[in-house]
Amino acid sequence: MLVVDETQTDLAALIMADFRGLRAPTTPSRDLVDWLHYRARHVAERTRQVVRSNEVETHRGTYPAIDEIAHHLANGLDVSPRLSNSIRTKGSNPRADLMFNQWQVSHFHLGPWLDNPRRVERTGPVLFAHIAADRAILLDVQPHGSWTQTNLLRILLRIDPTTMHDIGPSGATTLTDTDHKTLRGKHSNATVDIGGRSYNPPGWAIMASGDSMRFRVLADYLEHLIGRTLHQIQANSLPPGLMQQLAGQIGVPVRLGVRFERGLLILYEKNRGLDLAAPNMVVA
């Protein structure tokens, strides 16, 4: 069975569709990692369970936009007009939002809609939220610039203890929010002390390059998955149901491609419209 690998061409097309006008292509691996950061910062249009903290509840009367954001996240609607300006001005820069890279915490502006339907008024206070594949936890409303406020992670831990890994009792010295700001500026990681315990933040880690480790891992896993799927097709070792569908059109070449759909990268066979595999991490 003839197999044609079109995955790299498809990935390049996805990346350049978003980066066209922002920058020229560099290397395929670098472009992919940068694009994963870009796509995740946009918050994919997926339905999510939305959880509001007690702190957010106290702000709902003052900021009606909180309920709008919650509705959009719950129903898989576009929230990008309320996201950071860096999505528009620094879209292809993976270091445009280091808080997001390190802690997986996004922020949303709460101002009214302007005449431009794709933009809302920028605000001093912003809504901070932890966005995962199928869940959004609205943490608190705090001043713009609270990028290393560890109390946001205290709230997150209280609501969902599974988001942070407990690594043991705190040390003799507890880092302040200012300490975390200094370390992040140097692309250095640190545990967060909460209630006498030390925790790894939910965003996995920030790398010396400023990249988020989770997107480096996802890029590596995608490349592994492409190679494994190609081998399975050539060795006739895909699951029986998939092999039967491929073999049903034995004279038709297999065209392996990749598409991006509602935050998920999916490997599929183009001639038959058959989904073959998807990474086990959503580009949230």
Side-chain angles (χ1 to χ4, degrees):
M1 186 179 298
L2 177 63
V3 181
V4 182
D5 179 9
E6 299 182 0
T7 56
Q8 299 308 312
T9 301
D10 290 348
L11 285 170
L14 287 169
I15 293 166
M16 284 303 106
D18 286 328
F19 285 0
R20 187 173 293 114
L22 296 177
R23 75 172 201 202
T26 58
T27 64
S29 59
R30 180 70 258 176
D31 286 341
L32 176 59
V33 171
D34 293 355
W35 180 76
L36 291 172
H37 283 79
Y38 169 88
R39 271 288 140 204
R41 288 199 307 269
H42 268 77
V43 183
E45 296 174 20
R46 297 172 55 83
T47 57
R48 291 175 169 88
Q49 176 194 20
V50 177
V51 180
R52 298 181 181 89
S53 72
N54 294 335
E55 290 80 359
V56 165
E57 289 289 350
T58 66
H59 291 287
R60 288 175 66 191
T62 306
Y63 300 105
I66 291 174
D67 286 340
E68 176 198 307
I69 293 166
H71 172 79
H72 278 55
L73 290 170
N75 292 279
L77 303 175
D78 182 20
V79 294
S80 62
R82 293 198 173 274
L83 292 170
S84 169
N85 268 335
S86 66
I87 285 182
R88 285 173 288 276
T89 61
K90 301 178 182 178
S92 63
N93 182 358
R95 294 171 292 281
D97 188 344
L98 293 181
M99 182 185 199
F100 174 76
N101 286 6
Q102 189 175 39
W103 285 2
Q104 200 176 339
V105 172
S106 300
H107 67 277
F108 299 86
H109 287 268
L110 300 169
W113 285 90
L114 300 176
D115 291 338
N116 183 337
R118 295 296 303 163
R119 181 173 163 81
V120 298
E121 182 180 322
R122 305 290 92 177
T123 53
V126 293
L127 172 66
F128 288 94
H130 176 263
I131 308 293
D134 299 308
R135 194 180 195 195
I137 299 177
L138 309 187
L139 300 169
D140 200 2
V141 175
Q142 290 293 330
H144 192 274
S146 302
W147 312 135
T148 54
Q149 187 181 117
T150 53
N151 192 54
L152 295 169
L153 298 185
R154 290 186 180 90
I155 297 169
L156 177 61
L157 183 67
R158 185 186 73 218
I159 295 173
D160 186 357
T162 66
T163 58
M164 298 173 65
H165 179 61
D166 184 342
I167 61 173
S170 300
T173 302
T174 298
L175 295 177
T176 66
D177 292 357
T178 301
D179 293 333
H180 282 287
K181 180 179 180 179
T182 300
L183 288 169
R184 184 180 293 161
K186 298 177 180 178
H187 301 165
S188 296
N189 293 289
T191 58
V192 177
D193 295 323
I194 301 174
R197 309 290 296 180
S198 289
Y199 295 87
N200 283 326
W204 289 23
I206 193 171
M207 303 179 70
S209 61
D211 294 336
S212 172
M213 183 178 288
R214 63 187 184 276
F215 300 123
R216 284 280 187 172
V217 171
L218 178 55
D220 290 344
Y221 182 74
L222 177 61
E223 292 301 319
H224 163 76
L225 188 63
I226 290 170
R228 187 183 73 184
T229 303
L230 284 168
H231 173 76
Q232 288 177 321
I233 294 170
Q234 293 163 344
N236 296 324
S237 60
L238 283 171
L242 291 176
M243 286 307 307
Q244 288 177 3
Q245 294 182 71
L246 291 179
Q249 302 179 51
I250 193 66
V252 179
V254 172
R255 294 172 58 215
L256 183 63
V258 60
R259 71 178 190 273
F260 183 69
E261 185 176 297
R262 301 187 75 81
L264 189 65
L265 284 164
I266 301 171
L267 296 185
Y268 73 112
E269 200 290 308
K270 293 183 175 182
N271 283 329
R272 298 161 179 81
L274 180 64
D275 289 350
L276 300 178
N280 60 2
M281 290 188 295
V282 176
V283 186

